[in-house]
Amino acid sequence: MDILFGLCGKGFVILAGDTTVAHSIVKMKNDEDKIKTLGPHLAMAYSGEPGDTIQFAEYIERNLRLDQIRNVHERRPEASASWIRSSLASSLRSRRPYSVNILVGGFDISSAAIVEGQEELGGTPKLYWLDYLGTKVEVPFGAHGYGSYFALSLLDRYHDPNASVEEAMGTLKRCIDEVSKRLVVSPSKYKAKIIDKDGVRDIEIPV
Amino acid sequence: MSIMQYNGGSVIAMKGKECVAIASDLRLGNQALTISCNHEKIFPVSDRVYYGLAGLATDVDTMRQRLRYRVNMYTIKEEREIEPETFARLTSSALYEHRFGPMFVEPVIAGLSKTPSGGVEPFIAAADLIGCLNFAKDFVVAGTASDKLYGVAEGLWEPDLEADDLFETISQTLLNAVDRDAYSGWGAIVHVITKDKVITRKLRGRMD
Amino acid sequence: MDGKTAPQMRHFNPYSDNGGTILAIAGQDFAVIAGDTRQTVGYEIQTRYAPKVFRLNDKAVLAVNGFAADGNMFVKKVKQKLEMYRHAHAKDMPLRAIARLIQTMLYAQRFFPYYVYNILGGIEEDGSGAVYSFDPVGSYERESCRAAGAAQSLVQPFLDNQIYFKNQQPIPGGPPHPVHLPLSRVIALVTDSFTSATERHIEVGDELEMFIVLSRSHPQQSLDPRLNATEVSTTASGEKVFVIRRPLKRD
């Protein structure tokens, strides 16, 4: 099962996921990017049933793109996450539900999201934890898969909402290292993306 | 493991003298794993009607959206705020629509209804997941700590409590009940609805 | 195969659940051990008077809840052992020794357990009130209050609040919370616990049977006549044991 992490810092949010695609006991692929960019300031990390994940992620990606073409204003992270949630929730009671778990990371650049005294940040980082049932929660940090059993307690201890990028990457590294140390079937490689006022981009995980 | 216990959480409402109180815990979990410690389960309908939803978190969200839509339609058509009892009936019929494939939520409703003389009357109600209403004259409970809530509330509650005493009673009831429940806890939120204001307080319980 | 083979019972379940609730609270120099008297199977009331609380000697009272047949047999065997002890040592077995005896007897049945939750209450050799609670296979602990049985989940959090003052802050600068409550308060809490449990649990009701054990160091050696208590202790010089019976709702 795949592992996803997400955490907010001061003016940014980081998403990370492992890069393994496995069928049964066999590793099929070692460089899969499980994080999709959904908009100028929006990305999502997804895991779950292979096939469902890609199908659902592309459906979300294309529909949010369409929304972007139709509307002048960028859709805010809360609104995007809510739409993803309702897609999952209606899928749950359909003939064949998608089984996909998601972390949505976004950076809210709307004027309402600019915090007084912190105008230089250009908005507010947002992270949403969604599971295949359509459960949606806004969290300061979140995790999916077996990684969550190790990472959440670490993040309880080390997460700082005012952390710099370097500090947040250090915390992320702690989580990854803990999983490598304690999980029997731990993945070898991770990819991470950062979302801030400048948009979505890849970020190197420190060794 | 019942689907009603998948995410955990508990809600309670109590009547007082010309006031009502409604409270919930703040945990959201995936079975035994806690995901969030700031998950509110109580929502306002108007200044004098609040409701809480205990049960499966995805259905809590969905029901909340559906009820908001229905209440908005009611408000537009009737050109007035909804009465708590009307809201309870509305909730009940929304749930019963899914009689044979239910939404896994148990609603708890608290509000002040208007009396013909211009005063207010406290109102509480709860329903099961298919909308069978229970209009109680003392208190109603729902969620994973419901049996504990019944026990403590039955021992602490008394009729005609003033707003501050009602706050203390509902807070003590909720905190002590969720402390004996592994699926509820991590703090609580309490709303006391009186005729001229709503007092909302967050409580820190034992955070484990 | 002739196709007429009689149906075979695949599994026999030797246990059932007879409902009811028990509760014990220890004070500084007394103990109160109580239980309701309703005995049920499913929705059926088998009897409205089946005692679950038993006087073992003048300083120990045992409450047994769960599967009634096992409970009755267990109490019978404990009483036999206590009588053997009295014949051998010419004195009653002390409370902490009874607690350990119960553990041994329960664990002896580890792989076919007595399906009962035991709560032992009484007076220790040092004169203090004590409550010991057990699980069906003998894990035990000395506590100052414990509820068990069908309405445990209703009663125990109430006791946490009222006995241990959980979630209650003492008034700043005022006195701290008392460690032990007076007998009158404990009796009131036990009564309230059972009326509450009766109100909300279908397996609890009919009658409340409350045993009170007073240490020799307790200032009063008799109970308020308004409590309508019956003395059941056997010697004038030892600990005093009283029973109070109160009606509970029968619906």
Side-chain angles (χ1 to χ4, degrees):
Chain A
M1 176 111 152
D2 341 77
I3 294 171
L4 306 177
F5 299 124
L7 63 158
C8 294
K10 190 176 181 146
F12 63 90
V13 51
I14 292 168
L15 294 177
D18 72 290
T19 56
T20 315
V21 177
H23 265 180
S24 179
I25 56 163
V26 185
K27 275 182 188 167
M28 306 299 288
K29 203 164 179 278
N30 212 316
D31 57 353
E32 171 85 347
D33 190 356
K34 296 175 187 175
I35 307 172
K36 244 186 176 29
T37 305
L38 301 176
H41 299 90
L42 193 71
M44 79 173 185
Y46 49 89
S47 71
E49 193 78 22
D52 279 13
T53 50
I54 296 183
Q55 193 71 21
F56 185 77
E58 285 181 354
Y59 169 77
I60 296 296
E61 184 189 32
R62 290 297 98 202
N63 275 94
L64 287 178
R65 178 75 191 108
L66 176 64
D67 181 85
Q68 219 174 89
I69 295 165
R70 281 180 175 167
N71 297 294
V72 179
H73 296 287
E74 190 179 330
R75 187 176 271 251
R76 294 174 73 176
E78 168 76 48
S80 309
S82 285
W83 184 76
I84 298 170
R85 188 207 89 82
S86 44
S87 303
L88 283 166
S90 51
S91 150
L92 183 74
R93 283 182 159 78
S94 69
R95 200 175 52 78
R96 216 190 75 72
Y98 285 113
S99 88
V100 188
N101 300 317
I102 291 169
L103 289 173
V104 177
F107 195 77
D108 194 346
I109 53 158
S110 59
S111 54
I114 293 173
V115 184
E116 212 180 289
Q118 299 191 336
E119 287 83 1
E120 77 283 359
L121 299 179
T124 314
K126 295 277 190 181
L127 179 63
Y128 299 91
W129 183 97
L130 291 91
D131 71 4
Y132 72 100
L133 299 167
T135 313
K136 184 188 119 223
V137 243
E138 196 191 330
V139 286
F141 52 81
H144 274 300
Y146 288 118
S148 63
Y149 296 100
F150 304 93
L152 288 181
S153 49
L154 275 172
L155 289 163
D156 275 331
R157 175 67 183 79
Y158 293 109
H159 175 258
D160 174 9
N162 290 313
S164 66
V165 178
E166 290 70 36
E167 286 166 333
M169 288 308 283
T171 311
L172 175 66
K173 189 71 176 41
R174 273 183 195 274
C175 298
I176 291 171
D177 289 348
E178 188 66 16
V179 171
S180 312
K181 188 175 176 186
R182 296 291 177 188
L183 187 66
V184 178
V185 285
S186 61
S188 46
K189 258 179 72 189
Y190 289 82
K191 269 185 183 165
K193 278 190 169 70
I194 182 168
I195 305 110
D196 60 11
K197 66 174 191 301
D198 304 323
V200 186
R201 61 190 179 280
D202 287 354
I203 185 165
E204 214 49 51
I205 297 167
V207 216
Chain B
M1 166 64 65
S2 154
I3 199 155
M4 295 297 287
Q5 286 157 26
Y6 186 80
N7 296 118
S10 302
V11 188
I12 179 170
M14 279 180 177
K15 264 191 198 174
K17 191 180 185 188
E18 292 189 334
C19 59
V20 281
I22 182 165
S24 84
D25 70 325
L26 294 174
R27 181 182 181 269
L28 178 122
N30 241 217
Q31 315 225 53
L33 179 72
T34 303
I35 300 296
S36 173
C37 313
N38 193 23
H39 191 255
E40 291 184 24
K41 298 157 190 79
I42 297 172
F43 317 107
V45 179
S46 68
D47 286 346
R48 52 191 181 85
V49 186
Y50 277 64
Y51 71 102
L53 294 171
L56 192 68
T58 178
D59 288 353
V60 169
D61 254 5
T62 307
M63 271 317 286
R64 185 191 168 191
Q65 288 167 358
R66 284 188 187 162
L67 291 174
R68 187 173 63 179
Y69 170 77
R70 288 190 184 213
V71 168
N72 286 345
M73 292 307 284
Y74 178 94
T75 316
I76 293 164
K77 278 183 188 155
E78 297 276 326
E79 295 183 324
R80 66 190 167 97
E81 276 188 354
I82 196 166
E83 283 297 304
E85 188 181 335
T86 319
F87 178 73
R89 305 277 180 194
L90 182 146
T91 306
S92 167
S93 75
L95 286 168
Y96 196 79
E97 276 182 17
H98 304 275
R99 171 62 181 83
F100 296 109
M103 305 295 288
F104 297 99
V105 292
E106 290 179 328
V108 165
I109 298 148
L112 295 174
S113 27
K114 286 206 169 88
T115 59
S117 57
V120 290
E121 173 109 2
F123 173 91
I124 53 164
D128 65 7
L129 71 171
I130 50 169
C132 176
L133 283 168
N134 163 22
F135 302 105
K137 60 180 189 302
D138 42 14
F139 52 83
V140 282
V141 305
T144 51
S146 60
D147 47 351
K148 289 115 182 161
L149 286 165
Y150 271 128
V152 190
E154 195 66 60
L156 297 186
W157 185 87
E158 46 191 286
D160 293 325
L161 290 163
E162 297 293 339
D164 46 349
D165 293 330
L166 185 67
F167 167 75
E168 197 59 31
T169 307
I170 200 169
S171 305
Q172 287 294 325
T173 304
L174 186 70
L175 289 175
N176 288 287
V178 301
D179 284 354
R180 284 278 175 182
D181 182 25
Y183 296 113
S184 303
W186 286 98
I189 190 160
V190 183
H191 307 272
V192 182
I193 308 166
T194 63
K195 62 177 183 295
D196 37 43
K197 62 175 184 299
V198 179
I199 306 152
T200 299
R201 291 195 184 96
K202 271 198 179 174
L203 308 176
R204 277 179 67 84
R206 45 180 301 154
M207 306 300 271
D208 62 357
Chain C
M1 280 298 198
D2 57 358
K4 281 190 279 185
T5 325
Q8 296 264 307
M9 182 155 61
R10 301 237 169 236
H11 187 68
F12 167 64
N13 182 195
Y15 294 121
S16 72
D17 179 1
N18 298 108
T21 278
I22 51 172
L23 161 61
I25 299 170
Q28 182 145 48
D29 45 16
F30 65 87
V32 177
I33 305 94
D36 69 322
T37 64
R38 176 175 289 185
Q39 190 179 101
T40 63
V41 169
Y43 291 132
E44 183 199 1
I45 297 173
Q46 288 179 316
T47 170
R48 296 189 189 277
Y49 187 71
K52 279 195 281 288
V53 192
F54 303 91
R55 190 191 70 89
L56 298 178
N57 56 39
D58 280 355
K59 54 190 163 222
V61 173
L62 181 62
V64 200
N65 192 230
F67 178 28
D70 273 5
N72 292 329
M73 181 52 100
F74 186 71
V75 171
K76 186 168 143 184
K77 294 206 165 181
V78 172
K79 281 183 171 172
Q80 282 170 355
K81 299 237 177 195
L82 292 182
E83 189 166 333
M84 295 301 286
Y85 182 95
R86 219 161 57 81
H87 292 319
H89 299 90
K91 63 161 192 164
D92 281 334
M93 191 188 275
L95 193 72
R96 53 187 227 105
I98 301 176
R100 179 58 66 88
L101 170 75
I102 290 174
Q103 161 167 80
T104 315
M105 291 174 66
L106 288 169
Y107 198 81
Q109 291 293 319
R110 175 63 182 78
F111 298 106
F112 186 20
Y114 289 111
Y115 199 175
V116 286
Y117 287 87
N118 285 288
I119 301 178
L120 175 71
I123 305 297
E124 296 279 24
E125 282 173 303
D126 66 1
S128 61
V131 163
Y132 290 91
S133 65
F134 299 81
D135 81 349
V137 286
S139 281
Y140 78 113
E141 177 179 24
R142 185 179 167 181
E143 296 177 287
S144 48
C145 96
R146 171 60 66 187
Q152 181 191 40
S153 61
L154 284 76
V155 175
Q156 192 68 53
F158 176 66
L159 262 26
D160 290 344
N161 188 223
Q162 296 293 312
I163 306 272
Y164 295 122
F165 299 100
K166 288 281 169 67
N167 292 111
Q168 286 188 269
Q169 258 80 49
I171 300 160
H177 292 311
V179 181
H180 292 293
L181 296 174
L183 179 59
S184 57
R185 177 82 184 131
V186 170
I187 292 174
L189 284 172
V190 170
T191 315
D192 277 7
S193 298
F194 275 92
T195 39
S196 295
T198 303
E199 200 66 43
R200 293 288 175 176
H201 201 114
I202 55 167
E203 292 174 358
V204 181
D206 292 329
E207 205 173 309
L208 168 61
E209 204 161 55
M210 192 174 357
F211 280 70
I212 295 156
V213 192
L214 295 184
S215 164
R216 272 174 293 186
S217 57
H218 190 78
Q220 273 93 46
Q221 287 294 298
S222 62
L223 294 182
D224 188 335
R226 285 171 299 182
L227 289 172
N228 222 275
T230 322
E231 188 172 344
V232 289
S233 38
T234 51
T235 58
S237 57
E239 285 78 7
K240 295 275 190 297
V241 187
F242 300 89
V243 191
I244 298 175
R245 293 196 175 83
R246 294 217 171 130
L248 290 172
K249 281 171 76 177
R250 288 155 65 88
D251 55 4

